Amino acid sequence: MLDRLTFPQPYLSLLLFIVWQFLSNGVSGASIVMGLILAWLIPQITRGFWPERRAFVNAWKLPGYIGIVLLDIVVASVSVAKLILGGREPKSIFVSYPLELEHPLAIAILASTISLTPGTVSADVSDDNKLLLIHALDADNADEVISSIRERYERRLKEMFQ
Amino acid sequence: MMTIALQITIGMVVIAALLNVYRLIKGPDAPDRVLALDTLYINAIGLIILLGITLGTRLYLESALLIAVMGFVGTVALAKYLKRGSVIE
Amino acid sequence: MSTIAEYAIVILLLTGGFFTLVGAIGLARLPDFYSRLHGPTKATTVGIGSIVMASVVFFSTRGEGIGISEVLIVVFLFITAPVSANIMAKAAMHMGIDPAKGTRGHPWDQ
């Protein structure tokens, strides 16, 4: 009974509380009370869905990673815009990317990053979490795609999830 | 100058929405239509934000947020239906 | 409103409109479903991101406080766009839609 009163996912609770303050147009007494109730209630309701493994050993590296991803989005958008407006047929390729990450959350973040940066979309993860299927819009060969993703994103994520 | 830029932007987003409607009608397969609908709701969010700037009010932002949430749920439900034949198993 | 803010708003608006339009052109023009999938993710990330940043700049220079709801819209779109792209690609592969001629590699069939 006592563990029903705790916050089983402290980071999730903090995030929910902050998002509720943003949504309610300015911090007030009512929004703080409601935010606390939601931050307690939602993790309690959904606790069965959350995996037990601890994530984010080096969470302080996350802002730098987000900055790199945003920069890449802008740079890659321009090249994809050139390709779309250029009239040339794109040379598409499906790549099977061998994953070095093991944590499910790390794989989810990597797949989201790949989909967000224009030019590549992650299409599927194999059942044993070893391979990621990537569709690249315009690439010369598979090794180029694999090495650029490994250098830029996966290495940094590995440092975060030791 | 800002008014002109606003009108040009609204024009570009409307043309984008028309191109999405073209893809929605043409298909050729069901996933293409789902994709067109997905892009269409994202363009609708852009149009609502542009409308808010034009009228100088922030009232419409809440509805843009709602469209974002509902559009995502709709896309996932449609794609799941195409994949499995049912939404809730 | 200061001139710098106005220039920033104009640039952000035009960038947003341009990338939204490019995403839609890609959706209409590209040959197969898997390459069309690239259009919406781009329109979402850069296009709507720029338009929303223009809105943030506009309302904060009018002295109505910094717009937080706008930022929530962008964060939500950035989180959901990869998920919907992924699930649509899975549905397409499940239905056995063929990639265009000239695509190297092949989708899995699991």
Side-chain angles (χ1 to χ4, degrees):
Chain A
M1 187 62 209
L2 204 61
D3 64 328
R4 281 281 159 200
L5 293 173
T6 57
F7 296 102
Q9 301 279 336
Y11 293 119
L12 177 68
S13 297
L14 188 67
L15 188 73
L16 286 169
F17 183 74
I18 293 172
V19 167
W20 186 255
Q21 305 308 318
F22 284 167
L23 273 179
S24 54
N25 285 326
V27 182
S28 65
S31 75
I32 288 175
V33 172
M34 195 64 202
L36 281 176
I37 291 174
L38 288 176
W40 169 76
L41 189 65
I42 292 177
Q44 286 290 349
I45 292 173
T46 59
R47 68 189 309 172
F49 297 110
W50 290 92
E52 291 296 317
R53 290 175 65 177
R54 300 284 293 174
F56 276 124
V57 181
N58 295 324
W60 51 273
K61 285 190 175 163
L62 196 62
Y65 181 76
I66 292 174
I68 288 169
V69 171
L70 287 180
L71 193 73
D72 278 6
I73 287 173
V74 175
V75 172
S77 298
V78 175
S79 63
V80 173
K82 267 186 206 156
L83 177 80
I84 286 178
L85 296 177
R88 173 170 71 86
E89 285 301 306
K91 295 177 288 183
S92 303
I93 184 168
F94 277 100
V95 181
S96 289
Y97 179 85
L99 284 165
E100 285 178 3
L101 299 166
E102 284 168 2
H103 197 285
L105 181 62
I107 295 175
I109 293 179
L110 181 70
S112 299
T113 310
I114 291 168
S115 292
L116 270 180
T117 47
T120 46
V121 166
S122 63
D124 206 354
V125 185
S126 65
D127 292 334
D128 54 356
N129 286 355
K130 291 271 165 48
L131 282 174
L132 191 65
L133 182 65
I134 297 172
H135 180 269
L137 183 60
D138 192 47
D140 285 331
N141 55 52
D143 293 337
E144 183 191 2
V145 179
I146 290 177
S147 67
S148 75
I149 290 172
R150 180 148 290 157
E151 271 305 300
R152 251 184 121 63
Y153 309 122
E154 191 172 24
R155 193 171 49 80
R156 290 187 169 84
L157 281 174
K158 263 174 95 173
E159 286 169 8
M160 267 190 264
F161 292 86
Q162 287 292 327
Chain B
M1 187 171 73
M2 209 189 79
T3 325
I4 301 169
L6 207 54
Q7 283 163 355
I8 294 172
T9 312
I10 291 176
M12 285 197 277
V13 178
V14 168
I15 294 171
L18 289 177
L19 285 169
N20 293 336
V21 173
Y22 162 76
R23 178 54 69 193
L24 181 66
I25 293 169
K26 187 157 176 271
D29 298 302
D32 289 290
R33 299 198 162 97
V34 178
L35 183 63
L37 278 176
D38 186 67
T39 322
L40 208 52
Y41 92 74
I42 290 167
N43 287 354
I45 294 170
L47 275 180
I48 286 176
I49 294 170
L50 289 170
L51 178 73
I53 299 178
T54 314
L55 298 179
T57 170
R58 290 173 65 179
L59 280 176
Y60 299 105
L61 285 173
E62 317 277 314
S63 63
L65 201 56
L66 277 178
I67 291 180
V69 176
M70 292 298 158
F72 171 65
V73 174
T75 303
V76 169
L78 278 173
K80 196 134 196 303
Y81 175 74
L82 290 180
K83 190 162 180 279
R84 306 262 177 171
S86 65
V87 179
I88 300 169
E89 283 152 41
Chain C
M1 189 185 304
S2 69
T3 323
I4 301 172
E6 194 168 340
Y7 276 116
I9 292 171
V10 167
I11 291 170
L12 282 171
L13 278 177
L14 292 180
T15 319
F18 173 73
F19 278 109
T20 313
L21 189 55
V22 165
I25 291 173
L27 183 69
R29 185 184 88 83
L30 289 173
D32 66 337
F33 174 77
Y34 301 101
S35 37
R36 274 176 222 140
L37 206 52
H38 293 267
T41 42
K42 195 162 29 273
T44 317
T45 49
V46 185
I48 302 298
S50 312
I51 290 176
V52 165
M53 288 328 276
S55 170
V56 169
V57 175
F58 178 73
F59 285 113
S60 47
T61 50
R62 277 161 54 102
E64 295 180 15
I66 302 166
I68 299 295
S69 322
E70 289 103 319
V71 180
L72 278 182
I73 295 175
V74 176
V75 169
F76 187 79
L77 284 178
F78 270 51
I79 295 172
T80 55
V83 179
S84 43
N86 190 285
I87 196 163
M88 278 188 283
K90 270 187 179 174
M93 285 193 295
H94 181 77
M95 292 176 74
I97 290 172
D98 290 326
K101 255 186 272 176
T103 304
R104 290 147 294 158
H106 51 85
W108 301 339
D109 47 354
Q110 57 168 281

